Amino acid sequence: MGRIYRPVEIECGNRKATTVAIIDTGADETVISERLAGKVNSDLYGVFKAICASDTMLEGKYADVTIRELWSRVEIVMAVGVSDKPFGTDDIDDEGVEAILGVDFLQETEMPLDFGY
């Protein structure tokens, strides 16, 4: 099965940015890049840590943002991890991907997925 990409809009306050997200059913938490967090001028706080499937430790901060998936129109305000580490790996090497929608996003929004079976 291939990767699932979706267009998303990330918003914080009155600033918005549109980007590409990858849906990762193996990721417990949603993560955005530091660059994307900067585009929407989000306030960073706390300590974000997560372990990837490759045993790589992600470290960063949290940001509270609105995520709007543009195909299904689901949206939610949530705390997301902010780290550039997963966006420079072989796992996610496609230019333009600045967000990983994790299981937390999928569960909270009950976003429908079509795997094409």
Side-chain angles (χ1 to χ4, degrees), residues 24 26-29 31 48-60 83-92 100:
D24 188 347
D28 291 333
E29 295 184 72
V31 181
F48 168 74
K49 289 187 179 185
I51 298 175
C52 297
S54 63
D55 284 333
T56 303
M57 173 66 81
L58 296 185
E59 295 181 298
S83 174
D84 277 344
K85 197 163 195 172
F87 301 100
T89 67
D90 288 338
D91 293 334
I92 302 174
I100 298 169

Side-chain angles (χ1 to χ4, degrees), residues 97-108:
V97 174
E98 293 187 281
I100 298 169
L101 301 180
V103 172
D104 56 349
F105 177 85
L106 298 173
Q107 287 177 332
E108 290 296 320

Side-chain angles (χ1 to χ4, degrees), residues 72-93:
S72 66
R73 304 302 295 172
V74 298
E75 79 175 60
I76 188 170
V77 176
M78 65 185 301
V80 298
V82 178
S83 174
D84 277 344
K85 197 163 195 172
F87 301 100
T89 67
D90 288 338
D91 293 334
I92 302 174
D93 58 2

Side-chain angles (χ1 to χ4, degrees), residues 1-73:
M1 178 172 56
R3 294 181 175 158
I4 301 172
Y5 298 94
R6 292 291 189 268
V8 294
E9 184 177 76
I10 307 295
E11 181 177 350
C12 186
N14 61 354
R15 298 192 67 182
K16 297 178 185 178
T18 302
T19 191
V20 176
I22 188 168
I23 295 175
D24 188 347
T25 59
D28 291 333
E29 295 184 72
T30 296
V31 181
I32 65 172
S33 70
E34 291 175 14
R35 182 172 163 243
L36 183 56
K39 283 182 186 177
V40 296
N41 200 30
S42 61
D43 292 326
L44 304 181
Y45 65 91
V47 176
F48 168 74
K49 289 187 179 185
I51 298 175
C52 297
S54 63
D55 284 333
T56 303
M57 173 66 81
L58 296 185
E59 295 181 298
K61 301 279 187 179
Y62 282 99
D64 295 325
V65 298
T66 299
I67 302 175
R68 186 171 301 107
E69 196 277 326
L70 297 176
W71 284 4
S72 66
R73 304 302 295 172

